[in-house]
Each structure stands twice: as C-alpha cells, then as structure tokens.
Amino acid sequence: MNRRMGIRDVAQHAGVSIATVSNVLNRPERVSDELRERVSESADELGYVPMPAARALRAGNSGLIGLTVINVANPFYGSLIAGAESAAATAGMRVFAGNSDDDAEQERDHLGLFDQLQVEGALISPFADTRAAVRGLRGHGIPVVLVDAEDEDGELSSVSFDNRAAAAMAARHVLELGRRRVMFAGSRREVSQVRAREAGVRDAVEAAGLTLVAERLPTTDPISGLAFGARLIAMEPDDRPDAVLCSNDHLAAGVVRALTSAGVRVPEDIAVVGYDDTPLAQVAAVPLTTVRQPAFEMGHSAAQMLIARIRDPHLARETVVFAPELVVRASTTG
C-alpha cells in the first residue's frame, strides 16, 4: 500500500524548508509567487492532500469536543452522546467520544488523548477520580464540564441528575405497596452515581424503620442480572427480598428474566425496579418500573454549557440538576 505523502515529502521534492511549505498552506501571503508555484507543483506531482484537521489543530481551533462515558453498552450513555452531538452540530463542532468501560485507567487514557488532540473542551461522565487529569486539561486552557455527575470540589460546571432523591422515590413506591424486605443491587465499584442511588434507597428504607440489604455485583449488565436472579431463586422463599431495586435497567431486566423463568412471580413474589428508563425497560419479560433520566437532554445541556465556556472562558461556574421522575409499570404493580 502506498504511503500517504506528507509535508516533509513536499518540502524535500520542492527543495524548500518545511516551514516554507507550511506557510504556503496556511499563510500564503508570506511567500513569494515563485515559491508558492514551486510548492504547489510538488504537492500536485506527489499527490499530497492537506489535512484540514491537522491544520486546525495547529491553529488551536480543532472544532472537537471530547466526551468520555462510563459504559456505552448502557443505552443511557448512547442517548447522552446523541444529545451532546446534537448541540455540538448546531455550533459547527464535532464530538469525539470514548468509552471508559468501567475502567479507571482507560478513562485516564481518554483524557490524556483529549489533551493530545487539543480538543476545544471536554465533557466527562466520570467513573473514577479524574481530578488530576482535569487539572492537566484546564492547565492547557481546555474547559471541562461534568455530565451525569456533580463536582464535589465545587470548581467545575456540571449537568447532573438527583440520583439520591430519585432512588428514595423508587424505594418509597415499593414501601407504599407493602414491601418490607428491600434489597439494593448495584455495581461493586465505587461509582458516584451508584453510591447516591444506594444512599437514596437507604434513606427511605431506614425512615420506614427497616434495614436495607445491599448487594455489590462485579458488573451490572443483563448477564450479571441473570446470575444474581439465580442466587435469589436459590434462597428459601421466606429469606428472599420482596423488592429489589437495581442500579440500572440492564441489571433489572436480567433479574426479572431469571425469576420468571424459574416460576418466581414478578411482582407478586418479588417486585423489581430498574433505573434510567431505557427501551429495555419497556420490553423486559415484565415491563419495568424505573426511574426516568432525560439522557438526551442532559447531554445536550452539558454540551451547550461547554460550548459557552469555549467561547467565553470567563463565564462563572454553573450547575444544572434534572429532577427525578418515576415511571410505574408492571414489575411493581402487576
């Protein structure tokens, strides 16, 4: 396969410096007519095609917004990315998205890549502690906005969701239905969103004078839900929870599938609640009661907030918190 010709090849062929070729491409008014013609002829002869993206990077206006999310396999994050892309397109910009896949090192790699690419701004849905990497980005003049999380240090603008209030709302729903053995199932890792959801469920359960049982699972995909559901089935019926609140719809759908396949009735025996209101919630074996997060709107709002800070770095810190909404379906009410 033929190698792509670069600016160095053009300079060598034309017998000029790389700086001269760069001036012909980017600042032609600085170069004589004779040099412009010589460089242009060499470029044509070699088949050299200038890369607009590379020129934009050198000029410091890449038109790129970096975005990293926790797990793109969850449809919530796909919708969030779509919202950010919509706002960016309106502003004539593009989103370069990365999936950390529940991996702190991969998340740091993405943020480092954003720095190398000289993105104009970064949107971060954090999995781990990103403060050191964020300091590096901001030190290089790259504004940062958190999405689906708040800045505990009170420095960064953010667009988030009231996870604690939402989870408490979901827990109160099953308590009002008479459930008393409530379990929370979420990721084993210390994701801030999951911590907030567990805390909200605990708030409601303890306010009712009950004790919450919490399960930390290695992953929160449907396969993990199937495995967790099998563990519930293996328990004595009187020892099982009568309500399970899951940290996302993927996990909840797997739990429902496992229970119903084994003849455990949902919700008569065990009520199940999801989180996010992804399409999977509507098509699960028993449609899921779930917390609706406006993923597209959150991504759109965060990108707009970031673009405003790209255009005016002196804007004050801003926070937007979306209010929770509980969507009640058959997995709790039958």
Side-chain angles (χ1 to χ4, degrees), residues 80 123-124 145-150 156-161 294 297-303 305 318-322:
L80 189 149
L123 294 169
I124 303 174
V145 169
L146 298 184
V147 55
D148 193 32
E150 291 187 68
L156 299 175
S157 294
S158 64
V159 173
S160 62
F161 185 76
E297 291 81 358
M298 290 170 67
H300 194 277
S301 176
M305 187 181 290
E318 182 181 2
T319 60
V320 172
V321 181
F322 281 81

Side-chain angles (χ1 to χ4, degrees), residues 153-241:
D153 295 332
E155 297 179 0
L156 299 175
S157 294
S158 64
V159 173
S160 62
F161 185 76
D162 196 338
N163 283 287
R164 189 164 185 162
M169 179 188 298
R172 286 194 296 270
H173 167 67
V174 297
L175 292 167
E176 289 166 0
L177 293 172
R179 307 297 167 145
R180 290 297 178 264
R181 300 188 305 278
V182 180
M183 177 179 285
F184 176 82
S187 172
R188 180 183 297 166
R189 296 176 177 179
E190 290 298 300
V191 181
S192 63
Q193 296 91 326
V194 176
R195 288 201 308 271
R197 292 169 196 177
E198 180 180 335
V201 174
R202 192 177 302 279
D203 290 341
V205 170
E206 293 183 350
L210 303 172
T211 301
L212 176 69
V213 176
E215 286 285 333
R216 297 294 182 86
L217 307 172
T219 60
T220 53
D221 55 25
I223 302 305
S224 183
L226 285 171
F228 178 60
R231 287 168 49 195
L232 297 177
I233 294 163
M235 298 169 67
E236 292 295 327
D238 290 343
D239 295 332
R240 292 172 185 157

Side-chain angles (χ1 to χ4, degrees), residues 184-313:
F184 176 82
S187 172
R188 180 183 297 166
R189 296 176 177 179
E190 290 298 300
V191 181
S192 63
Q193 296 91 326
V194 176
R195 288 201 308 271
R197 292 169 196 177
E198 180 180 335
V201 174
R202 192 177 302 279
D203 290 341
V205 170
E206 293 183 350
L210 303 172
T211 301
L212 176 69
V213 176
E215 286 285 333
R216 297 294 182 86
L217 307 172
T219 60
T220 53
D221 55 25
I223 302 305
S224 183
L226 285 171
F228 178 60
R231 287 168 49 195
L232 297 177
I233 294 163
M235 298 169 67
E236 292 295 327
D238 290 343
D239 295 332
R240 292 172 185 157
D242 58 10
V244 177
L245 289 93
C246 299
S247 62
N248 66 37
D249 292 338
H250 269 196
L251 179 62
V255 171
V256 168
R257 173 63 68 183
L259 294 177
T260 56
S261 297
V264 177
R265 299 172 302 167
V266 177
E268 292 85 354
D269 300 323
I270 302 178
V272 180
V273 179
Y275 206 103
D276 292 333
D277 195 27
T278 62
L280 185 58
Q282 300 180 48
V283 300
V286 179
L288 290 170
T289 292
T290 185
V291 172
R292 176 175 292 160
Q293 286 201 94
F296 184 94
E297 291 81 358
M298 290 170 67
H300 194 277
S301 176
Q304 286 184 321
M305 187 181 290
L306 180 65
I307 291 164
R309 278 147 185 79
I310 291 170
R311 292 172 174 171
D312 183 357

